[in-house]
Amino acid sequence: MKSSPKMLTQVKQDEKEAAQKPLSFGLIRRLLGYMVPYAGRRNMLIGIVVVRAIQLPLLAWAIGAVIGGPVSRLDGMGVMLGAIGYLALAAFTQVTLCFRLRFAQELGENVIRDIRGFMFSHLQKLPMAYFQRVGTGRLISRFTSDAEAVRSGVQDLLFVSIVGGGQIIVAAAFMAYYDVVLFLVVAGMTPVLWGMNRLVHGRLSRAYRTMQESFSRVTATLAESVSGIRVTQGFVREDVNAGLFHDLVRDHARYNIDAARISGVFLPMLEFNSQLFISLVLMIGGWRVFNGFADVQALYQFVLMSAIFFGPIQWLGTQYNMALTAMAGAERVFRLLDTKPEWSDPPDAHHADQIVGRVVFDKVDFGYLPGTLVLREISFVAEPGQTVALVGHTGSGKSSIINLIAKFYLPTHGRLSIDGIDILNLETHSLRSRIGIVLQQNFLFTGTVMDNIRTGRPGATDAEVIAAAERLGCRDSIETLPAGFATVVGERGAGISVGQRQLICFARAMLADPRILILDEATSAVDTLTEARLQQAMDRLLSGRTSFVVAHRLSTILHAEQVLVLEDGRIIERGTHAELVEHGRVYANLYEQFIQSTSA
């Protein structure tokens, strides 16, 4: 199966991740679609933000009304009632803010929870080729920084912008009511303030982005240094690594200072510009009052409203930059969700629950990338219950064959069938449930040893797990662990020796009771004494199953029914161990080297 050009183009696009993207109504509409399951909360929140957009100008109006009314008439009772009314309105405004923040947080959390769940479920369905081409770090960033940018767009940007926009509209209506000529003057100033605001916040956004990228390099280097501490100390690289880290921290500090300098210069400038515009309002308004075109109370109300009008213009510029960042994050999130698998099971795919394990390769070619083959005209038959050994130097194609059997990839050309059914027409999930895999680099999940063995058959009881270890002959080894089967395994198997990890994975395969078993250099990390102990258990594990053994230590394949010797993606020799040794060719030389290495 060739890799699609569309997939490769998409990966190249992922490698150049833009920090910001223009506003896209398609992306916005799609984000709004994720709010549909929470329509009640969304509609309530929209109502609250509309009310809040009206409340803020009303507070300014209330101040002007009290001062222009009861205060100007020296009406003490009126002033007291006005103050109480203002306090009640202010309290109601804060209650509204409380619910706005709470509902927005809940809505954003629900939406981003759903999106992350959809991303994770979709990720599990993508073929192995996708993970080979797309780095783990980029996938993690889809779930972290990009998802957080989307959350910001949902819970903050949308509703904060509604509040700001509504506040401007309501304040503008009051200002036009008080003095339409003066309002037109203010309206003419607005584009200037908006343009300056966009310029300032654009520079600030770039500075903060550079600072964040620098911090990412610092944290990545720190994580790498901690993970590779043994190599660092083993090769006496402490000073070198410390120097590299010092350079990164120094650069990060410089970027922080640059951001602080820009913020310290331009933010006060923006604040001053707002005050400058208000002073112009006072000058022009004062002239109109002195010349009888307006009254003092209207001017006072107008100035109060102008502060409410200009305020959102400043922070809406910041919101706009944040919106562009949210668009970039949403685009990458939806690009992942829209990634189509290179292949999928046909609707009438056969279930593999009853397979017996006859595997046939018929002139199979395969390549991970278009135009580059790693397997060429591979043909062989593995009868049910047979053990097929794959032998060859690194890069000869051994692992590619087992990747095809496990349906991690599909052949580029030729036919691979199991029990006479083309592997493309076998339902993937049921097929893999009948395949057991033990790899050289065995992966253990964080949890107990019991849980890790149970991965082979999630519904197994504790007794069945222990029985599988007993059949394998490793129960006593597991029980020597600090808490036996209840021993907690750390990240990537931390706290468990390499040999013990291999034993746990063997027990996992034994519990799964597969029809097809794949051992990919599964004993290469085990010491000779442990390997000898495992050999009898391996014979039990292989018995009655179609098994494919990628052999590093040739002692593990002496009794294989077929030994396939690969070189440059082709089978150059085949036969039993005895036959190939007798032929005296490539396999015989490999076996002689193995004997010499073990006797040295």
Side-chain angles (χ1 to χ4, degrees):
M1 182 80 182
K2 290 184 178 180
S3 301
S4 68
K6 183 178 179 181
M7 177 77 77
L8 293 176
T9 301
Q10 175 182 306
V11 173
K12 290 179 181 178
Q13 291 173 347
D14 272 345
E15 291 174 354
K16 297 180 179 180
E17 295 180 349
Q20 294 185 336
K21 288 285 185 180
L23 291 178
S24 166
F25 290 104
L27 288 176
I28 294 172
R29 184 168 57 251
R30 192 166 178 181
L31 279 175
L32 292 175
Y34 283 92
M35 299 184 191
V36 171
Y38 313 101
R41 183 60 50 88
R42 178 203 61 196
N43 295 340
M44 188 179 300
L45 185 55
I46 290 174
I48 289 174
V49 297
V50 170
V51 170
R52 180 159 175 79
I54 298 173
Q55 287 174 331
L56 296 175
L58 282 179
L59 286 173
W61 169 84
I63 294 174
V66 172
I67 294 177
V71 172
S72 63
R73 298 193 303 270
L74 301 179
D75 180 0
M77 181 60 69
V79 171
M80 181 176 295
L81 292 175
I84 293 174
Y86 175 82
L87 182 61
L89 178 59
F92 179 45
T93 302
Q94 296 309 307
V95 170
T96 304
L97 175 61
C98 174
F99 281 99
R100 188 199 73 74
L101 294 174
R102 173 187 164 185
F103 289 165
Q105 182 76 23
E106 291 176 355
L107 180 64
E109 188 60 44
N110 287 331
V111 168
I112 209 62
R113 179 197 62 201
D114 291 348
I115 289 177
R116 280 177 171 149
F118 292 138
M119 281 198 294
F120 188 81
S121 297
H122 183 68
L123 204 60
Q124 307 301 299
K125 301 173 184 176
L126 294 177
M128 203 64 63
Y130 179 82
F131 299 95
Q132 182 185 7
R133 291 190 292 266
V134 179
T136 303
R138 294 189 183 279
L139 292 177
I140 292 175
S141 70
R142 298 296 88 85
F143 287 82
T144 53
S145 57
D146 290 333
E148 287 302 316
V150 173
R151 181 212 298 273
S152 172
V154 171
Q155 75 182 30
D156 292 328
L157 293 172
L158 176 61
F159 299 107
V160 169
S161 298
I162 292 176
V163 172
Q167 181 177 331
I168 290 174
I169 292 172
V170 175
F174 272 111
M175 292 164 70
Y177 171 76
Y178 291 130
D179 193 325
V180 67
V181 174
L182 198 55
F183 171 71
L184 293 176
V185 173
V186 170
M189 299 176 185
T190 301
V192 178
L193 181 60
W194 170 260
M196 295 183 65
N197 185 72
R198 287 281 296 115
L199 176 64
V200 170
H201 285 288
R203 293 194 61 176
L204 277 173
S205 178
R206 288 190 293 272
Y208 287 140
R209 186 163 64 247
T210 302
M211 184 178 69
Q212 290 168 354
E213 291 169 354
S214 171
F215 185 67
S216 297
R217 289 192 292 271
V218 170
T219 55
T221 302
L222 177 60
E224 185 179 63
S225 297
V226 172
S227 300
I229 190 65
R230 291 187 179 182
V231 176
T232 299
Q233 294 182 354
F235 287 90
V236 198
R237 278 184 55 91
E238 294 93 337
D239 292 340
V240 174
N241 286 8
L244 294 173
F245 187 76
H246 176 74
D247 291 340
L248 290 174
V249 172
R250 184 181 59 222
D251 287 342
H252 180 59
R254 178 165 55 84
Y255 294 137
N256 270 290
I257 293 172
D258 289 343
R261 184 180 297 115
I262 293 173
S263 177
V265 171
F266 286 101
L267 289 184
M269 184 184 298
L270 277 182
E271 184 73 22
F272 177 74
N273 286 332
S274 298
Q275 303 303 325
L276 176 63
F277 289 155
I278 291 177
S279 69
L280 290 175
V281 168
L282 287 173
M283 289 175 59
I284 298 173
W287 180 86
R288 288 176 56 77
V289 169
F290 288 134
N291 288 275
F293 296 111
D295 60 61
V296 175
Q297 182 177 352
L299 175 62
Y300 182 73
Q301 293 274 41
F302 193 98
V303 171
L304 287 176
M305 285 297 169
S306 65
I308 300 296
F309 179 86
F310 283 122
I313 294 177
Q314 295 185 40
W315 47 262
L316 280 178
T318 305
Q319 297 294 107
Y320 182 75
N321 284 320
M322 292 174 63
L324 300 185
T325 302
M327 286 295 100
E331 182 183 59
R332 289 191 286 270
V333 164
F334 291 137
R335 188 186 302 159
L336 170 60
L337 288 171
D338 293 339
T339 300
K340 302 296 183 184
E342 296 180 34
W343 50 266
S344 57
D345 295 331
D348 57 347
H350 297 269
H351 284 269
D353 298 336
Q354 303 302 320
I355 65 170
V356 296
R358 187 175 191 268
V359 180
V360 178
F361 277 69
D362 184 10
K363 296 182 179 179
V364 169
D365 293 346
F366 172 68
Y368 294 100
L369 297 174
T372 304
L373 294 179
V374 296
L375 294 177
R376 298 173 179 84
E377 295 189 347
I378 300 296
S379 296
F380 67 88
V381 178
E383 298 293 348
Q386 281 191 345
T387 296
V388 177
L390 305 174
V391 179
H393 294 293
T394 300
S396 60
K398 305 184 298 295
S399 294
S400 297
I401 288 177
I402 64 174
N403 282 337
L404 292 177
I405 296 170
K407 206 178 177 181
F408 292 143
Y409 301 87
L410 291 178
T412 305
H413 300 293
R415 187 172 187 265
L416 166 58
S417 64
I418 297 178
D419 290 358
I421 304 172
D422 193 302
I423 196 168
L424 178 61
N425 295 320
L426 282 171
E427 200 273 321
T428 303
H429 184 270
S430 64
L431 172 62
R432 290 179 184 161
S433 69
R434 305 304 293 154
I435 296 177
I437 303 176
V438 181
L439 304 174
Q440 178 184 6
Q441 299 296 331
N442 283 299
F443 183 87
L444 296 184
F445 295 94
T446 301
T448 65
V449 171
M450 180 77 74
D451 292 336
N452 272 280
I453 297 176
R454 190 180 281 115
T455 304
R457 182 153 55 91
T461 64
D462 290 356
E464 289 172 328
V465 171
I466 295 172
E470 183 73 42
R471 290 196 305 274
L472 189 64
C474 65
R475 175 178 176 177
D476 56 340
S477 296
I478 294 176
E479 288 179 338
T480 60
L481 294 171
F485 285 87
T487 300
V488 176
V489 179
E491 185 178 358
R492 296 184 181 180
I496 306 285
S497 72
V498 174
Q500 289 168 329
R501 290 202 295 270
Q502 296 288 64
L503 289 172
I504 292 169
C505 292
F506 268 92
R508 175 193 294 169
M510 177 67 82
L511 180 65
D513 192 23
R515 297 308 309 154
I516 298 174
L517 181 66
I518 295 172
L519 305 180
D520 186 2
E521 298 189 4
T523 63
S524 62
V526 179
D527 58 70
T528 305
L529 181 61
T530 303
E531 180 190 358
R533 181 180 180 185
L534 277 176
Q535 192 61 55
Q536 185 177 3
M538 286 178 60
D539 291 341
R540 295 197 201 103
L541 184 60
L542 298 175
S543 178
R545 298 181 173 89
T546 306
S547 303
F548 296 88
V549 181
V550 176
H552 175 71
R553 293 177 177 174
L554 300 186
S555 58
T556 62
I557 61 169
L558 299 180
H559 304 294
E561 282 80 5
Q562 289 189 73
V563 177
L564 305 179
V565 183
L566 291 103
E567 185 175 293
D568 295 330
R570 299 180 185 275
I571 299 176
I572 59 172
E573 283 188 276
R574 67 179 75 208
T576 65
H577 167 76
E579 290 170 347
L580 294 178
V581 170
E582 185 178 351
H583 289 165
R585 296 171 60 194
V586 175
Y587 180 82
N589 291 332
L590 290 173
Y591 186 66
E592 183 179 352
Q593 293 172 14
F594 171 71
I595 294 299
Q596 291 175 355
S597 66
T598 56
S599 60

